[in-house]
Amino acid sequence: MTDAEWAEVRAAMPVPAWLLTRGGRPEAYCHREIIDAVRYLVDNGVKWMAMPADFPYWRAVYDFFRRWRAYDYVRELHQRLRRSAREHSGRKAEPSAGIIDSQSVDASETVGEDSRGYDGGKSRDGRKRHILTDTGGLLLEVTVTTADVHDSKAAPTLLGTFMDQPGRRLELVWVDSAYQGPALADAFARHGVRVEVVRRGDGKRGFVVLARRWVVERTLSWLSRSRRLNRDHERRPDHHQQMVWWAATIRLSRRLAGDAPRWPEKRPGRLLRAPA
């Protein structure tokens, strides 16, 4: 993380229990170093035991990851950063409209048979991540299931997890044609959310940009830039879900700090010159 990124992350970080005198002991490592280590693992896709030596010991990093998973701290961190990003762009902190889609990903041999399935439509043997984003593509909620779970069956849980939090004002969700059926409509109606299906135009073939749906597709591509998400290596589905939150946090903190990486030819003063 750059100093600008760390300033954004530090301001939004959840307060540890020991600082609130609720028990526990202080962290043995600097929060910036330990968070940087987790971000490095998610962004570069290395194994836990292959953590570079200039980071804290890999077991300490993994224990930190597990603690934040147990208390859902990374989700809380992302939600705070997301609200800040929306307010900085002149929008309300909570969105009134969103988009839902899913992405199947192959699983490695570390994923057990009890938590993996086969998606016949995408020819993927592994898990499926279902995401809800706002109209700007910022992640609102994520749920991880086996790849054989139909999108319409996972959507009620995804929406319910998001809407059960206080202060939600979601009223409209755009989806594709897979999200249909009376059971799904009843689940959305319970939360007072209207569903609008974005259909492909008749007679159109090949790649077509669909209104609204391209936003969530772009978010899925953003997440796939983190190499840990290119293939599912997590033994537990909730660990894969945490990896998605970490990947979204990396993208969002860079956006808030204005430190998005650029190629050398697009950075004045850093052009690569051939030796004379």
Side-chain angles (χ1 to χ4, degrees), residues 231-245:
R231 188 176 178 88
D232 192 355
H233 301 278
E234 315 308 323
R235 298 182 185 273
R236 299 171 44 152
D238 58 341
H239 279 197
H240 183 85
Q241 182 175 336
Q242 292 296 300
M243 292 296 179
V244 175
W245 283 117

Side-chain angles (χ1 to χ4, degrees), residues 99-143:
I99 312 101
I100 290 179
D101 205 352
S102 66
Q103 181 183 47
S104 297
V105 60
D106 286 324
S108 65
E109 70 281 357
T110 56
V111 178
E113 294 183 0
D114 59 334
S115 63
R116 68 192 297 164
Y118 184 76
D119 182 356
K122 301 294 179 62
S123 298
R124 299 288 186 182
D125 179 18
R127 295 192 180 122
K128 183 184 291 186
R129 40 183 178 250
H130 311 263
I131 68 170
L132 168 66
T133 71
D134 66 3
T135 54
L138 300 181
L139 185 64
L140 299 178
E141 194 57 65
V142 57
T143 299

